[in-house]
Amino acid sequence: MKLNKADILKALENISAPGEGQNLVESGAVTNVQVFGDEVEVDVTIKNPTLQAKKKTEVEILKIIHREVYEKAKIKVNLKVDAPSKPKVNQIKGNPIPGIQNIIAVASGKGGVGKSTVTANLAVTLAKMGFKVGLLDTDIYGPSMPIMFDVALEKPLSINVDGKPKMKPVENYGVKLLSIGFFTQPNQAVIWRGPMASKALNQMIFDAHWGELDFLLLDLPPGTGDIHLSIMQSLPVTGAVVVSTPQEIALADARKGVAMFQQEAISVPVLGIVENMAYFTPEELPNNKYHIFGKGGAKNLAEDLDTPFLGEIPLVQSIREAGDVGRPAAMQTATPIEEAFEELTKNVVQELVRRNTDLPPTEAIKITTMAGCAAVKKK
């Protein structure tokens, strides 16, 4: 029997496009119909990508042609899916904290490279530039931010937000701050296993009223361990900054720190590497530079890893003194130290803007295998 194309199209008008009010012909889902004697070939494009929608559409086409046109017709359905692409929106996903635009993790492969000092000065410089800034000290076992911000004796207040009790972060120098150090005595050691530490962090993250923030900085503990994974499973970190000294032994660990964020199971964009204690300049000889820990090590590492180099911070006595008395050195005005931290901060913001323009939003990671919990070498 010779079939008619018009009869095929009329029959297909009885089938609705998946998820749409119009039938397959009205919606334009049927893009082509070819008839060769008792053979029919139908090209259909639908917007619903689910397997159920595809199978349902194909079965209905077969049934309607067999019933309305010719029960012995040989039918071939060429089905394509053209799902509308989702608009790219640079917003935090996963488990977002309402009101926080960007979350930056500051990390180091090893201790003693000045990571917390860099974080504190980065925070106050951002605040000086007019940004709304928060800082979460995630180092459960060695919190230092309360001292660096001269708020060691302060305690976060409990406030009522939408009928729920929330912690109000301590604030100084325009930076909102939370740390486990606010909840322990100065001479008290925190002896907790990983799950207890992770629970405390989650409380400081989600039970706090941070308000509107342009940046939340996370001062991560040294290394690549349980706390880091807990943070990145709890929060969609926008980007990471890795701090190192020029010394070879510090660079080896910084390389591991970068690798942690770049691991497939984690995939947090690395904004760049900071070289701290890059050189020593005596106060009486401000133009002299002595490269005590080596020269340009972190900059060379950044080039090797194809990662931005964010800047270098000198080894200056007043930076240490300022941290000890609770007034970050970047608070100084018209000094080389202020200039160094301003340059660093501008580069961090620039790389963050580039990251938000070029990359999709970060998701809080979901580790379901040991691939995210151990050193995995892919072949």
Side-chain angles (χ1 to χ4, degrees), residues 1-243:
M1 177 178 175
K2 186 176 180 180
L3 304 180
N4 188 291
K5 181 177 178 179
D7 293 336
I8 303 294
L9 289 171
K10 186 177 180 180
L12 293 176
E13 289 178 354
N14 296 309
I15 303 174
S16 297
E20 301 178 33
Q22 296 175 307
N23 64 55
L24 289 179
V25 179
E26 289 177 342
S27 67
V30 177
T31 56
N32 190 30
V33 174
Q34 296 184 63
V35 178
F36 309 95
D38 64 348
E39 297 180 8
V40 180
E41 190 165 337
V42 182
D43 295 338
V44 183
T45 301
I46 63 174
K47 296 179 180 179
N48 191 327
T50 65
L51 182 62
Q52 181 182 6
K54 291 188 287 185
K55 191 66 179 176
K56 182 175 182 288
T57 302
E58 186 176 354
V59 170
E60 287 186 348
I61 290 173
L62 296 174
K63 285 183 176 179
I64 200 71
I65 294 176
H66 282 150
R67 189 177 72 236
E68 300 290 335
V69 184
Y70 180 49
E71 64 179 358
K72 294 183 179 180
K74 300 172 184 176
I75 307 165
K76 181 181 179 183
V77 179
N78 301 317
L79 197 147
K80 294 182 180 180
V81 174
D82 184 21
S85 59
K86 294 180 180 180
K88 180 180 173 183
V89 180
N90 289 309
Q91 61 185 17
I92 295 175
K93 293 184 179 179
N95 292 319
I97 305 176
I100 297 180
Q101 300 303 312
N102 299 284
I103 301 174
I104 301 178
V106 184
S108 65
K110 70 189 304 314
V113 297
K115 169 188 51 61
S116 295
T117 299
V118 170
T119 307
N121 284 282
L122 178 60
V124 297
T125 305
L126 285 168
K128 283 169 62 178
M129 290 178 174
F131 293 109
K132 298 173 182 177
V133 186
L135 198 166
L136 176 61
D137 185 355
T138 73
D139 194 343
I140 296 294
Y141 306 107
S144 53
M145 288 302 167
I147 295 175
M148 289 189 171
F149 278 81
D150 194 25
V151 288
L153 301 178
E154 299 288 334
K155 299 293 180 185
L157 300 176
S158 177
I159 59 174
N160 191 292
V161 179
D162 297 329
K164 296 181 181 179
K166 293 280 187 178
M167 283 185 287
K168 182 181 179 182
V170 174
E171 187 169 348
N172 202 13
Y173 310 130
V175 177
K176 295 179 179 179
L177 180 68
L178 274 182
S179 168
I180 198 67
F182 292 132
F183 307 99
T184 60
Q185 298 300 319
N187 59 348
Q188 179 184 354
V190 178
I191 309 173
W192 289 346
R193 293 188 183 274
M196 180 75 78
S198 299
K199 183 178 180 181
L201 280 175
N202 276 332
Q203 286 184 310
M204 287 194 293
I205 292 169
F206 295 109
D207 291 345
H209 181 61
W210 291 98
E212 296 291 326
L213 293 181
D214 297 306
F215 299 96
L216 175 63
L217 302 185
L218 308 177
D219 182 34
L220 296 181
T224 56
D226 190 55
I227 296 296
H228 304 75
L229 287 177
S230 297
I231 284 288
M232 287 178 285
Q233 284 180 298
S234 300
L235 290 173
V237 178
T238 315
V241 171
V242 177
V243 180

Side-chain angles (χ1 to χ4, degrees), residues 302-313:
E303 292 176 359
D304 290 344
L305 299 178
D306 194 24
T307 301
F309 180 66
L310 298 173
E312 55 184 23
I313 304 299

